[in-house]
Amino acid sequence: MTQPDARTLERVKLALRSQRIETPSWAYANSGTRFKVFPQEGVPRNPYEKVADAGVVHQLTGVAPTVALHIPWDRVDDYADLAAFAGDHGVGLGAINANVFQDNDYKLGSVTNPDPGVRRKAIDHLLECVDIMDRTGSRDLKLWFSDGTNYPGQDDIRARQDRLATALRETYDRLGDDQRLLLEYKLFEPAFYATDVPDWGTAYAHCLELGPKAQVVIDTGHHAPGTNIEFIVAFLLRAGKLGAFDFNSRFYADDDLMVGSADPFQLFRIMYEIVRGDALAPEAGIAFMLDQCHNIEAKIPAIIRSVLNVQEATAKALLVDADALAAAQRSGDVLAANAVLMDAYNTDVRPLLAELRTDLGLDPDPMAAYARSGYFDRIRGERAGGQQAGWGA
Ligand code: LRH
Ligand code: MN
């Protein structure tokens, strides 16, 4: 196992400098499971405080310059003012997430609901989110539909796909030239028989039908156990239809745990396909977003830790000796090929990342820097009163 040479380390550091990870506003707020939402001290009470916390994460990591919003959780009177506030805190407003999964009318579906009035209501919300994008300057509209059925026969699977396609078409046609529609899939929950966008193939097919401004989102918690997610990454990248990630990790289902915490090797394999596909830099157009819920752990440190986990997996992926790998693959040397990847994965990249942060004028240890910053003590005091933000479910 050879240590990476200086030229390799410089190449890797250069690539890591361009990494951009978007944090989700809702991960700064209260969240939980159907059993319990445990409130925490210092939790934001409004979108401005969520954005301020995202600003701290970027200040300490240097690679998290945007925060995704979720509507209506982050509805404000003046989105331009929120964007200006975000700018004052060193971040920009990122993807706009629509929410057609919490209104009573959506019990039997939103855009796929048998009732045309309910479908209209849902589509109008999607269009409202594009209006909001016009004011926040966001590029991406992210669509996840909880739509599905719980029992065979409950509704017509084919007819629901027609309704979905109609809603997506109307929304797609409303997009501006520089705007995108990101379609997210999920195997199950809250539907437990058939989900209308259950897998990457369904999302891919709808995006192909829509056009070039429609791309697929891979949420790493939305697959059947044992799914080879990096295969989906490689396939969609090759097809030019990978738009974004919702990073998190899980031991069982959609656990929304810190990315890289449950399966760091899987995250490495995913980031290796990104590197192999030359899709890491912002110009490649992939949005790397976190989508997590910190039900019991301190929220801001958990998000900092998650950003560091993505950086570490990326640094390891960038260390893969591509020439040695290609040679081993060409000669059919299975063990040698696997060893090239494992050598990179087994490299301790923390010193390299600490050096990069020092180069960027940052504290080499963002977790320790946050603990020393006194920010938590300040917000714990400032945010004592008022209603804490959450999913409002
Ligand atoms: C659905 C999902 C989706 C978001 C929500 C917060 O499980 O992954 O991306 O809208 O979580
Ligand atoms: Mn998601």
Side-chain angles (χ1 to χ4, degrees):
M1 167 55 208
T2 53
Q3 278 308 315
D5 59 31
R7 216 160 50 79
T8 299
L9 293 177
E10 276 322 303
R11 171 180 61 76
V12 170
K13 281 207 284 185
L14 193 60
L16 289 169
R17 275 172 179 267
S18 70
Q19 184 158 42
R20 296 289 174 269
I21 299 161
E22 183 158 302
T23 65
S25 68
W26 54 97
Y28 297 100
N30 282 330
S31 61
T33 71
R34 58 182 158 177
F35 301 106
K36 174 68 178 169
V37 172
F38 294 99
Q40 293 185 22
E41 291 181 305
V43 157
R45 297 159 302 175
N46 55 60
Y48 287 82
E49 292 179 347
K50 296 175 191 175
V51 166
D53 292 355
V56 169
V57 171
H58 182 51
Q59 194 189 330
L60 294 171
T61 65
V63 293
T66 53
V67 53
L69 300 182
H70 218 297
I71 307 298
W73 301 337
D74 298 315
R75 183 168 278 141
V76 293
D77 301 336
D78 185 341
Y79 288 98
D81 181 64
L82 182 65
F85 176 89
D88 297 343
H89 287 75
V91 289
L93 300 181
I96 298 297
N97 287 260
N99 180 334
V100 285
F101 53 86
Q102 286 188 311
D103 189 294
N104 292 343
D105 288 341
Y106 299 146
K107 184 171 73 176
L108 300 179
S110 64
V111 296
T112 64
N113 194 293
D115 179 333
V118 174
R119 299 201 293 270
R120 185 69 256 160
K121 175 179 177 174
I123 296 171
D124 288 345
H125 172 71
L126 307 184
L127 299 176
E128 179 209 355
C129 287
V130 184
D131 297 343
I132 292 170
M133 289 161 68
D134 293 343
R135 282 175 268 153
T136 59
S138 301
R139 173 191 63 177
D140 295 337
L141 172 68
K142 185 152 118 349
L143 301 181
W144 170 68
F145 298 103
S146 60
D147 293 45
T149 55
N150 277 0
Y151 298 97
Q154 174 185 330
D155 197 355
D156 185 83
I157 291 173
R158 176 103 178 243
R160 292 173 74 92
Q161 288 302 310
D162 295 338
R163 298 163 196 161
L164 172 64
T166 301
L168 290 172
R169 170 52 61 196
E170 183 174 348
T171 309
Y172 184 91
D173 293 347
R174 165 67 185 80
L175 294 172
D177 294 344
D178 306 326
Q179 295 175 331
R180 300 190 305 176
L181 179 160
L182 302 176
L183 183 58
E184 184 175 356
Y185 58 89
K186 181 175 180 180
L187 184 64
F188 79 102
E189 188 209 32
F192 295 108
Y193 165 59
T195 294
D196 295 297
V197 188
D199 55 28
W200 71 273
T202 307
Y204 176 53
H206 278 289
C207 289
L208 276 179
E209 199 177 311
L210 289 165
K213 292 189 282 186
Q215 305 267 356
V216 178
V217 180
I218 297 179
D219 184 312
T220 46
H222 287 187
H223 304 83
T227 300
N228 185 324
I229 298 177
E230 59 271 26
F231 172 87
I232 301 171
V233 173
F235 186 98
L236 290 174
L237 265 180
R238 179 175 172 277
K241 275 297 185 190
L242 177 60
F245 286 94
D246 265 5
F247 277 143
N248 50 63
S249 68
R250 50 82 169 279
F251 290 103
Y252 303 102
D254 191 17
D255 308 352
D256 281 341
L257 300 172
M258 292 187 296
V259 61
S261 61
D263 190 345
F265 185 42
Q266 180 187 61
L267 182 60
F268 161 76
R269 299 192 313 265
I270 289 171
M271 292 316 292
Y272 170 68
E273 288 304 331
I274 290 292
V275 169
R276 186 245 175 271
D278 200 17
L280 183 64
E283 303 74 58
I286 312 287
F288 298 95
M289 303 181 284
L290 302 180
D291 179 6
Q292 300 174 174
C293 296
H294 305 298
N295 301 342
I296 58 173
E297 68 269 32
K299 299 175 189 292
I300 296 172
I303 295 168
I304 294 172
R305 179 69 262 169
S306 302
V307 170
L308 305 187
N309 286 355
V310 176
Q311 282 187 303
E312 289 173 18
T314 308
K316 291 173 185 245
L318 287 161
L319 280 172
V320 172
D321 183 336
D323 298 340
L325 182 63
Q329 290 170 341
R330 253 194 324 276
S331 64
D333 189 337
V334 175
L335 292 176
N338 176 251
V340 172
L341 229 68
M342 295 315 291
D343 285 348
Y345 178 66
N346 292 320
T347 303
D348 183 357
V349 293
R350 293 171 293 184
L352 167 81
L353 286 164
E355 212 177 281
L356 173 71
R357 295 184 190 112
T358 305
D359 297 350
L360 292 169
L362 302 171
D363 188 294
D365 182 348
M367 293 292 281
Y370 176 74
R372 274 198 315 277
S373 70
Y375 185 74
F376 179 63
D377 292 334
R378 184 156 64 82
I379 59 175
R380 176 167 41 188
E382 285 170 4
R383 299 174 185 176
Q387 173 64 46
Q388 295 188 330
W391 285 38

